[in-house]
Amino acid sequence: MSTPGTRFGPGARRGASEICAAATALLLLAGCSGGGAAGAGSSLRPRQEASQPPSPSGAGARRIPGVGERLHSEIPESARQVVAVRGAGKDSEDATVALYTRRGETWTRERRWPAHNGKRGWTPDHRENDKRSPVGVFTLSDAGGVLPDPGTKLPYTRSAAFAAPRHWPERYRHDFDYVIAIDYNRLRGTSPGDPTRPLGREKGGGIWLHMDHGSGTSGCVSLSRAAMEYLLRTLDPAQHPVIVMGDRQSLAS
């Protein structure tokens, strides 16, 4: 799955003055976590958020484990960092996120974390408000959040406009303290809060990596704060990072 502007270089670092608070608030409501509507009763291992170091199963592979030829062929040759999101099932909100680094011809798993995806699972044809995460390969080029830049090389927009609406339940309040935009139906080189949708509003948007509240999202992928900080500090535009994401069956096909 590809989108306009997916493989161009990153934009310059932006200040908070460049983000439109009203547009961002609209995006948060229509795009990512969807307020208090997230599913309950997740089977995610409770708070096993500490990252897992590299293991023999993730070291020295010539291709990323669990990713079939179809999606592996969509990973750009220039990419040296891949965030792999494996959903537990087509209709499941539970997932695992792993960071792989390419050295020569081999991929090594650097870290792995439990995560959540869309509360209704996954789809190869994401639509606005379908509560499913899009399957595919996308670049990672822009970041931001409520909190100060933790030391990322990605262009980072800090703004209070990222804050979740106050009427959301308290456990959702910090979802957007850190976000990394997934380049699905968006313009690269802009704040994650930019509402532009090159493929049209009906194709959805506002698909991010962001902080976890313990259950499924409206299409984003959510991780612990420690995981988000690690990714923000590790992902490097010079390494052309991408994300490959989907349920296990879709990834392997």
Side-chain angles (χ1 to χ4, degrees):
M1 185 181 300
S2 61
T3 60
T6 298
R7 296 179 183 175
F8 294 97
R13 188 168 300 270
R14 297 170 299 277
S17 61
E18 296 181 58
I19 187 169
C20 172
T24 300
L26 178 62
L27 174 65
L28 298 183
L29 289 171
C32 212
S33 279
S42 166
S43 61
L44 179 68
R45 283 79 64 196
R47 299 299 91 190
Q48 291 181 353
E49 293 157 335
S51 62
Q52 300 180 20
S55 67
S57 64
R62 294 185 66 85
R63 55 192 301 163
I64 296 170
V67 179
E69 178 61 30
R70 180 178 63 88
L71 288 178
H72 220 287
S73 68
E74 294 184 21
I75 298 174
E77 181 63 28
S78 60
R80 292 296 181 269
Q81 293 177 322
V82 168
V83 177
V85 185
R86 296 183 178 88
K90 180 182 177 181
D91 300 319
S92 173
E93 66 180 24
D94 294 327
T96 300
V97 172
L99 175 65
Y100 289 86
T101 299
R102 184 176 179 180
R103 297 181 178 89
E105 296 299 317
T106 62
W107 291 95
T108 299
R109 192 183 72 211
E110 305 292 348
R111 291 289 189 275
R112 184 175 62 188
W113 307 271
H116 287 103
N117 51 261
K119 73 186 72 172
R120 294 180 182 168
W122 296 88
T123 178
D125 186 24
H126 176 68
R127 298 285 171 169
E128 183 81 354
N129 295 322
D130 66 7
K131 312 303 182 188
R132 292 181 180 270
S133 297
V135 176
V137 177
F138 311 100
T139 49
L140 299 170
S141 53
D142 301 284
V146 176
L147 297 179
D149 181 348
T152 185
K153 296 181 179 68
L154 297 171
Y156 189 92
T157 300
R158 183 191 182 190
S159 175
F162 281 104
R166 297 299 296 174
H167 66 270
W168 285 11
E170 186 173 355
R171 68 191 182 105
Y172 300 93
R173 298 275 175 82
H174 296 283
D175 280 15
F176 312 128
D177 281 358
Y178 291 127
V179 306
I180 300 172
I182 295 171
D183 292 336
Y184 170 85
N185 198 17
R186 69 176 299 270
L187 292 179
R188 289 189 52 167
T190 63
S191 164
D194 188 311
T196 305
R197 301 287 177 262
L199 299 179
R201 177 66 57 179
E202 69 279 1
K203 289 293 292 180
I207 306 297
W208 297 344
L209 293 164
H210 66 69
M211 285 170 51
D212 189 63
H213 54 248
S215 61
T217 72
S218 285
C220 295
V221 175
S222 60
L223 304 96
S224 68
R225 175 170 177 164
M228 285 297 298
E229 288 178 339
Y230 184 88
L231 288 173
L232 283 165
R233 292 168 179 160
T234 304
L235 294 177
D236 183 352
Q239 303 302 314
H240 306 285
V242 302
I243 186 168
V244 54
M245 52 193 284
D247 59 279
R248 291 181 181 276
Q249 184 175 353
S250 295
L251 286 179
S253 65

